[in-house]
Amino acid sequence: HLGRKDPRRRRRRRRPRNRMGHGTDSEDDEPNEQQQLPPPDTAPPVPPPTADEARERARELDRAAALPFREKYLWLERELDAVRFAPSDGYVRLEVRRSCLLEDSVQQLLALDSKALRQWMRVQFADEPGIDVGGLEREWFSLAIEAVLDPQVGVFRPSPGDGGLRFDPAASLPPRLGGHPRARELYEFVGRLVGKAVLERITLDAPLSLPVYAQLLGRVLEFDDLDCLDPELCRNLRWVARADDVDALGLDFSVAVPRTCPFGGADTTAEAGERNALGYRVAEGNVVVRDLVENGASIDVTNENKRDYCRRLWKHHVVEAGADALWHLARGVYAVLPPDALSVFDAHELELLLCGARRVDVDDWLAHTEYSGEYRRRGAQHPVIKWWWRALRTLSDADRSKLLQFCTGSARVPCHGFKALQRNDGRFQRFCIQSLPRNELRFPKAHTCFNRIDLPLYSSYAELEAGLKVVLAMEATGFTMD
């Protein structure tokens, strides 16, 4: 059967962090602010809805949007059942190397057609004997999203406002001017990863900034959304808008963008002042400049035009700088999901749907746990089980998440709590604690495909606590046969 590696026999292994290097990319025209979300390019052609069908669909979406979150989720599940293939229709299989996890994942996920994207998925790690019945797939999702969202990859960076991740403006610069040569490919990969996770009810540790979720849903952003992305800039713009005399500030209608992308292939032959079709021009030093209006660098900000300046600068930072990234992110999401399936949610609800609960609720975990072996008869009243829950309550939030990752393959709890844990085929599978004779193993052993942990029959709380410390100190990924 499947199990986690015995801590006594584990090998020390550094988990490689993949970095996306140079590639080629084309410079398509910049999308308009009010652009429509892109349809999946691999979807089979379908006849457009009639006017009556469109009106009825709009009324249905309005009704669903007014529902409480739980009922919205059930509505979404019915929508996804219409496009989701049954496990009996076969699986799509990914085989990735841990040493090249991001590269292999991007290449294989972007190669899938529309049918394969809506089939259930199984993952195999190269040169590992683990067979995926759910746990390996959850682990792959966790590792893949962690790898691509790493700021060192260069396409996302932390927002100082709400702490979520936003598009890195430098990544979306034209490659000739120092942008990431594979930015569009990576943003579409993240979109497909998000869409596939929603389709398969898998939670992701993808803490995007709320304005990114809102834009993905097609919502109109407001001025205060800038506070989530850059609170200091938001305060400065408010001050400029209210100031009595801005002439002495030396501002003009342009914005500088540092070329900070770690893989940006800036063309050193580009001469200062050279412009491209998106309005960026090379400036002195390692920056490019974009005019907010035509010849903006030669137009000073005055008391008469300061509000127009604030509006245009806000629009650049919140909408235009990430428009290309958003387009490719949405392209990936809606290659998997129906184009209006998420529209009934708001940004906070979409974050909950995708990322699940932020904290691990021990009471909820306890309420939705089953017991087997020697623990089955007495359940939560067994002394070892009492020690288990006592130990969990003493752990930090980070350690609880790591223990959850060890037990289930995911560090996040589904949006409906522990009762919504599931297997690879979509069937719900409650967390289970099974007894293990002390003479067989001194440490807990996890079966992530079945959301189960084998817990030895410890003779004291201190012994159980020591076993948990070993588990928390070890690498929480990797499978073996035993």
Side-chain angles (χ1 to χ4, degrees):
H1 63 276
L2 297 176
R4 287 285 187 185
K5 291 183 178 180
D6 184 340
R8 298 172 303 177
R9 296 183 287 111
R10 66 185 179 91
R11 293 179 300 170
R12 284 192 172 272
R13 178 177 59 195
R14 292 185 61 187
R15 183 171 57 196
R17 292 190 174 274
N18 294 275
R19 298 289 179 263
M20 303 302 291
H22 292 281
T24 59
D25 204 351
S26 60
E27 294 186 19
D28 298 331
D29 290 338
E30 185 177 16
N32 294 327
E33 179 185 0
Q34 299 299 327
Q35 65 191 5
Q36 297 295 317
L37 294 177
D41 55 358
T42 55
V46 294
T50 65
D52 288 342
E53 289 173 338
R55 282 192 290 269
E56 178 55 34
R57 180 61 175 176
R59 286 192 288 268
E60 180 185 359
L61 293 174
D62 287 340
R63 289 192 295 268
L67 296 173
F69 176 76
R70 177 177 175 79
E71 294 181 43
K72 285 183 186 180
Y73 179 82
L74 296 176
W75 176 89
L76 175 65
E77 278 298 305
R78 291 192 294 271
E79 292 289 306
L80 297 183
D81 281 341
V83 300
R84 183 191 285 132
F85 284 87
S88 58
D89 294 324
Y91 294 83
V92 61
R93 184 172 179 270
L94 302 186
E95 181 171 350
V96 298
R97 298 164 293 174
R98 287 187 186 271
S99 60
C100 302
L101 186 137
L102 184 55
E103 184 68 46
D104 289 354
S105 299
V106 170
Q107 180 181 356
Q108 294 181 45
L109 193 62
L110 292 184
L112 299 180
D113 60 22
S114 59
K115 177 182 177 181
L117 284 171
R118 293 174 176 180
Q119 288 179 296
W120 292 92
M121 188 166 67
R122 285 184 172 171
V123 175
Q124 178 70 47
F125 288 101
D127 301 322
E128 292 187 19
I131 300 174
D132 190 15
V133 200
L136 284 173
E137 183 191 17
R138 288 192 292 269
E139 181 184 353
W140 172 78
F141 269 105
S142 296
L143 296 177
I145 197 68
E146 178 187 9
V148 74
L149 296 183
D150 188 334
Q152 293 188 51
V153 170
V155 290
F156 289 91
R157 73 178 188 187
S159 298
D162 62 7
L165 295 171
R166 61 176 297 186
F167 304 125
D168 191 327
S172 293
L173 290 173
R176 175 176 168 81
L177 299 182
H180 199 300
R182 300 181 67 178
R184 292 174 173 176
E185 181 183 6
L186 293 174
Y187 287 130
E188 185 170 352
F189 168 73
V190 174
R192 288 194 174 201
L193 203 62
V194 166
K196 202 79 175 80
V198 172
L199 189 70
E200 302 203 9
R201 309 188 196 104
I202 290 178
T203 54
L204 292 179
D205 191 5
L208 302 180
S209 188
L210 283 175
V212 177
Y213 289 122
Q215 288 178 295
L216 190 59
L217 296 170
R219 300 290 189 266
V220 176
L221 298 183
E222 300 178 353
F223 182 85
D224 287 345
D225 287 304
L226 178 59
D227 195 45
C228 295
L229 302 174
D230 193 334
E232 183 178 3
L233 177 61
C234 189
R235 288 193 300 270
N236 290 341
L237 286 184
R238 284 198 178 100
W239 184 88
V240 170
R242 297 168 184 163
D244 295 330
D245 184 12
V246 298
D247 296 44
L249 297 177
L251 300 173
D252 58 53
F253 277 74
S254 67
V255 58
V257 181
R259 295 193 281 191
T260 58
C261 177
F263 301 107
D267 188 345
T268 57
T269 65
E271 297 181 0
E274 180 181 336
R275 297 174 184 270
N276 84 316
L278 301 181
Y280 290 100
R281 59 183 171 83
V282 179
E284 298 294 339
N286 199 29
V287 297
V288 295
V289 173
R290 181 177 182 232
D291 288 335
L292 301 175
V293 296
E294 187 174 358
N295 298 320
S298 61
I299 301 175
D300 294 333
V301 177
T302 65
N303 290 332
E304 289 72 27
N305 61 21
K306 63 183 180 182
R307 289 191 174 275
D308 184 43
Y309 167 77
C310 291
R311 179 180 64 83
R312 291 179 183 275
L313 190 60
W314 172 90
K315 184 178 178 181
H316 167 81
H317 284 284
V318 177
V319 178
E320 295 171 339
D324 190 69
L326 175 67
W327 195 91
H328 286 85
L329 179 70
R331 176 187 174 93
V333 171
Y334 297 110
V336 183
L337 304 177
D340 56 6
L342 300 179
S343 64
V344 302
F345 299 95
D346 62 30
H348 292 277
E349 291 172 331
L350 180 58
E351 181 185 34
L352 178 61
L353 173 71
L354 179 61
C355 300
R358 290 179 178 268
R359 300 179 67 249
V360 177
D361 186 336
V362 177
D363 290 329
D364 183 53
W365 196 346
L366 187 157
H368 296 96
T369 294
E370 299 174 345
Y371 307 93
S372 63
E374 293 293 324
Y375 300 138
R376 183 174 182 178
R377 185 173 64 86
R378 299 182 65 181
Q381 299 306 312
H382 193 285
V384 176
I385 299 300
K386 287 184 177 181
W387 296 334
W388 164 266
W389 296 118
R390 174 185 165 190
L392 260 62
R393 294 183 191 281
T394 65
L395 297 178
S396 65
D397 288 340
D399 281 344
R400 287 179 193 169
S401 295
K402 187 169 185 180
L403 183 62
L404 182 64
Q405 170 91 39
F406 174 81
C407 295
T408 68
S410 173
R412 289 274 185 154
V413 184
C415 60
H416 291 298
F418 280 89
K419 65 183 178 183
L421 289 178
Q422 65 173 32
R423 296 171 54 131
N424 177 271
D425 57 6
R427 291 184 294 173
F428 292 109
Q429 177 78 55
R430 282 198 173 193
F431 181 74
C432 179
I433 303 178
Q434 179 170 296
S435 64
L436 195 66
R438 290 186 69 255
N439 59 358
E440 185 171 326
L441 190 67
R442 292 180 55 196
F443 307 102
K445 180 173 64 175
H447 305 262
T448 61
C449 295
F450 307 104
N451 299 322
R452 192 182 90 210
I453 189 168
D454 293 346
L455 192 64
L457 289 161
Y458 292 114
S459 59
S460 68
Y461 175 77
E463 193 176 13
L464 180 146
E465 190 176 35
L468 281 184
K469 287 181 179 179
V470 172
V471 167
L472 293 173
M474 69 184 287
E475 182 71 40
T477 59
F479 282 72
T480 187
M481 304 284 289
D482 57 9

